[in-house]
Amino acid sequence: MLFRQMKYFVAIVDCGSFTEAAERCYISQSAISQQIAALEAELGVKLMAREGRKCKLTPAGEYFYAKSRVILANVEEMRAETVRIGSDSELKLDIGYLAGYHGLALQNAVVEFSRLYPEVIVNVFKGSHESLYDALREGRASLLMSDQRRAFSDEYENYILAQSPAYIDMSPAHPLAEGGAFVTADKLEKYPCILVAEKEEENTEKNFYGHTLGIGREFLFAAGQDEARLLAMSGRGYMPVESANAQTQPPLVRKEVRRADGSPIVRTYCAFWQKKRANYYIEEFASILRKEFAKKES
């Protein structure tokens, strides 16, 4: 059996006639008929029955058609990926993540991916939400791990990693540290919200947390995650958790933030990449990353 015969058979079924299939495959009608006859002879079963100018599949033909489509699609994917890999002088993934992220899912995903695909160089960098999207749009990032802050775009794969309530970390000495497992956003308004952001990104972060999420009215900014944690530990304010599965850093206390009416504030964490630049390795990394997020949730 030849892949060419499978291709001819699928074309006949898709086109509904030998004539149109022959034109699509750039072969004569007699030649394509001979190929199908040879295929049926090799299999020892009839795949289709002619009814005038049309063809009707036998049960065996229906099965063969469905399986052939899958096999041909896999072969084409394998061919395209082989060509892509062979044409790359260097296999590399550039992965961006939010500067405020301090979970273990990303680190664990990099370790597991590198174990499975040692031929790929993984470069990881951090940035603000907007600078990461600039990097993705300009082709400087293969994939981003970030939270959803705008409507999903059809130009990108929007691969949801996790959906989680909004959390904050604070010092055990913070006035709101005692009590239940959650605090309402209105009670946070008189205390500073500590954010990680560059100077030029401060207004963007204020708008997102203050207006979009409704968390915070007064803000303190830190240059990095370590500085933000120190500010929180010293009782200067509270800091939002930038990952659905981030571990609490002792001695900080974690609280869920809800709206004043008690309803949850949900944050969506995603992996994003450009559809036109998608490849096997990007999709594999995203799949591994989702599994790492799921470990903490389970």
Side-chain angles (χ1 to χ4, degrees), residues 4 7-8 11-12 20-28 32:
R4 183 173 64 249
K7 183 179 179 182
Y8 292 159
I12 292 168
E20 292 183 24
E23 292 177 356
R24 176 191 288 187
C25 298
Y26 303 101
I27 188 175
S28 68
I32 201 171

Side-chain angles (χ1 to χ4, degrees), residues 6 62-72:
M6 296 171 65
E62 291 178 354
Y63 174 83
F64 189 81
Y65 171 74
K67 291 294 183 180
S68 293
R69 285 184 62 88
V70 174
I71 291 171
L72 291 172

Side-chain angles (χ1 to χ4, degrees), residues 85 90-92 113-114 116-121 280-281:
I85 292 173
E90 181 179 75
L91 296 175
K92 185 173 69 169
F113 180 85
S114 297
L116 294 172
Y117 305 102
E119 72 276 15
V120 181
I121 297 172
Y280 173 79
Y281 293 120

Side-chain angles (χ1 to χ4, degrees), residues 17-293:
S17 76
F18 278 73
T19 303
E20 292 183 24
E23 292 177 356
R24 176 191 288 187
C25 298
Y26 303 101
I27 188 175
S28 68
Q29 183 176 340
S30 61
I32 201 171
S33 297
Q34 290 171 4
Q35 289 293 328
I36 299 304
L39 175 61
E40 290 178 323
E42 180 181 347
L43 294 172
V45 297
K46 279 288 185 182
L47 298 177
M48 58 178 62
R50 294 202 183 197
E51 297 180 350
R53 300 182 63 180
K54 296 185 178 180
C55 297
K56 182 179 180 181
L57 292 179
T58 65
E62 291 178 354
Y63 174 83
F64 189 81
Y65 171 74
K67 291 294 183 180
S68 293
R69 285 184 62 88
V70 174
I71 291 171
L72 291 172
N74 288 340
V75 169
E76 174 56 28
E77 181 183 350
M78 180 177 66
R79 183 203 66 78
E81 189 64 11
T82 300
V83 171
R84 189 197 66 76
I85 292 173
S87 62
D88 281 349
S89 58
E90 181 179 75
L91 296 175
K92 185 173 69 169
L93 280 185
D94 294 303
I95 300 168
Y97 68 97
L98 280 175
Y101 171 77
H102 62 281
L104 296 177
L106 178 60
Q107 293 91 320
N108 291 341
V110 170
V111 171
E112 177 63 9
F113 180 85
S114 297
R115 183 185 69 81
L116 294 172
Y117 305 102
E119 72 276 15
V120 181
I121 297 172
V122 179
N123 175 45
V124 181
F125 65 96
K126 63 183 178 180
S128 67
H129 187 275
E130 296 306 314
S131 68
L132 289 176
Y133 270 97
D134 287 342
L136 186 63
R137 187 174 60 253
E138 295 167 7
R140 292 182 284 110
S142 309
L143 174 147
L144 300 183
M145 189 191 76
S146 185
D147 57 350
Q148 182 192 6
R149 299 194 181 186
R150 51 169 71 96
F152 287 147
S153 168
D154 290 338
E155 295 181 15
Y156 299 92
E157 290 292 346
N158 309 289
Y159 190 84
I160 295 177
L161 300 170
Q163 290 184 308
S164 167
Y167 291 103
I168 57 172
D169 283 351
M170 63 183 70
S171 165
H174 193 283
L176 298 177
E178 297 294 331
F182 71 89
V183 61
T184 54
D186 57 309
K187 292 181 179 178
L188 295 173
E189 291 183 351
K190 61 180 180 179
Y191 303 103
C193 177
I194 303 166
L195 301 176
V196 177
E198 299 293 336
K199 192 70 177 177
E200 60 272 17
E201 298 289 344
E202 289 182 0
N203 286 334
T204 300
E205 294 299 293
K206 280 183 183 179
N207 287 332
F208 175 69
Y209 283 94
H211 299 299
T212 304
L213 292 183
I215 299 176
R217 178 173 292 179
E218 178 186 349
F219 296 91
L220 290 177
F221 289 93
Q225 190 64 25
D226 289 340
E227 181 184 345
R229 276 200 297 268
L230 287 172
L231 287 172
M233 288 176 183
S234 64
R236 296 285 303 279
Y238 59 90
M239 54 182 288
V241 177
E242 293 292 357
S243 171
N245 68 345
Q247 300 285 343
T248 307
Q249 299 290 316
L252 295 176
V253 174
R254 181 157 299 173
K255 296 258 187 178
E256 180 185 343
V257 183
R258 298 184 184 178
R259 297 184 179 89
D261 62 4
S263 61
I265 299 172
V266 178
R267 300 192 66 178
T268 301
Y269 298 91
C270 303
F272 301 97
W273 64 91
Q274 286 186 328
K275 288 182 178 179
K276 66 181 181 181
R277 299 184 70 231
N279 62 47
Y280 173 79
Y281 293 120
I282 291 175
E283 293 168 359
E284 273 294 284
F285 186 87
S287 177
I288 293 170
L289 185 58
R290 177 186 276 174
K291 290 176 183 176
E292 290 298 329
F293 269 83

